[in-house]
Amino acid sequence: MNARALQRRALGIAQEPAFKEGIRALLAPMLGVGAWGLVTGVAMVKAGMSVPLAIFMSLTVYAGSAQLAILPLLMVGAPLWVVWFTAACVNLRFVILSSMWRTYFGHLRLAHRMTLGYFSGDIIFVAFMQRFPTAEKKPEQLPYFWGAALANWVFWQVASIAGILLANVIPLEWGLGFAGVLALLGVLYAMLKDKATWVACAVASGAAIATFALPLKMNILVAIAAAVTVGLLMEAAEQRAARLRPQPAIRPPDPSKGEKHPVLPLPERAHEKETS
């Protein structure tokens, strides 16, 4: 796709009502996102990065949680493999989110999907799934995503770069990161939908606190590994329980009711609704 066609398509998406709807959906959590970006920008400079390098990292990495996780490692001179492994583990959730994004955007070209991957984020995912809870492709989904994604990206970059430029003026003691933590807690709560996610969250919290004294922020890796392990075990247990659950027997057809094929009885509640 040439530049002119790409520009026309982008303008067409921006004119869709769903595009503005996506922007509005991201306005509420933007205060927390802005505070999180601001403290991330300040932390990068306080960690010893030059202003140009910090701005470059903000624009290319665009992952506040991973940036804050690896900055202490860079400050203490941790091995590069530890830095990369920590960033990969912190962002491991995006692998799971991407598998869900594929349900909606798997038909797009690879370059377009990769661009969506860069702009996607936790808050965008939650807003999108609340707006489109069923995995059915709809024409307004792409404009909605881009509206939310661009709003989130602009808010984050403006706040992050402001923190970078004002790092010597804004002390970390202001506690601005707390607003970002509250925003992430809101996102986390919206993603806790069943018993498995609640248990995994509780296990991760307990593991992170219990191993807080580990060097190089290794408690984060322990918490992630524990949560993933518990989540997979619970999912396997639920699948096994479903297989062992007795299935209703198929009864032969009743000619008096006009039935010609074997019939699978409906659950009692569904049958009661039909007869009521």
Side-chain angles (χ1 to χ4, degrees), residues 34-260:
W36 190 251
L38 186 67
V39 76
T40 302
V42 173
M44 284 191 287
V45 176
K46 296 290 187 181
M49 285 188 177
S50 64
V51 170
L53 181 59
I55 293 177
F56 177 78
M57 184 178 186
S58 178
L59 294 173
T60 55
V61 177
Y62 183 43
S65 300
Q67 290 171 239
L68 291 177
I70 67 172
L71 286 176
L73 303 178
L74 295 175
M75 292 179 66
V76 299
L80 187 59
W81 72 267
V82 174
V83 175
W84 280 100
F85 188 66
T86 301
C89 288
V90 171
N91 285 335
L92 190 62
R93 66 192 187 279
F94 288 110
V95 177
I96 301 173
L97 300 186
S98 296
S99 65
M100 302 182 72
W101 284 125
R102 185 175 180 84
T103 306
Y104 298 89
F105 303 127
H107 61 286
L108 300 175
R109 294 183 178 182
L110 177 61
H112 197 169
R113 297 200 306 271
M114 292 180 67
T115 305
L116 293 176
Y118 167 78
F119 281 97
S120 66
D122 304 285
I123 297 178
I124 302 168
F125 177 82
V126 172
F128 186 93
M129 291 302 170
Q130 289 177 345
R131 175 63 177 82
F132 304 101
T134 57
E136 300 176 358
K137 294 182 176 65
K138 297 180 180 180
E140 62 268 24
Q141 289 172 347
L142 190 60
Y144 183 92
F145 174 91
W146 277 118
L150 290 179
N152 190 72
W153 187 87
V154 169
F155 270 92
W156 174 267
Q157 296 299 345
V158 169
S160 178
I161 294 174
I164 294 170
L165 298 177
L166 301 175
N168 296 324
V169 180
I170 303 175
L172 291 176
E173 289 76 13
W174 282 9
L176 293 174
F178 184 66
V181 172
L182 291 179
L184 292 180
L185 286 176
V187 173
L188 174 64
Y189 180 75
M191 298 177 72
L192 299 176
K193 297 181 178 180
D194 51 28
K195 183 187 296 184
T197 53
W198 276 101
V199 172
C201 179
V203 170
S205 302
I209 295 173
T211 58
F212 183 77
L214 290 177
L216 302 179
K217 300 290 183 180
M218 295 296 289
N219 64 314
I220 297 176
L221 305 184
V222 173
I224 294 172
V228 171
T229 301
V230 170
L232 292 176
L233 289 175
M234 289 195 64
E235 183 179 359
E238 290 176 356
Q239 292 177 352
R240 182 180 179 182
R243 290 195 299 267
L244 296 177
R245 190 177 299 120
Q247 301 295 327
I250 299 177
R251 64 174 175 80
D254 186 352
S256 64
K257 297 181 180 180
E259 298 172 350
K260 298 181 180 180

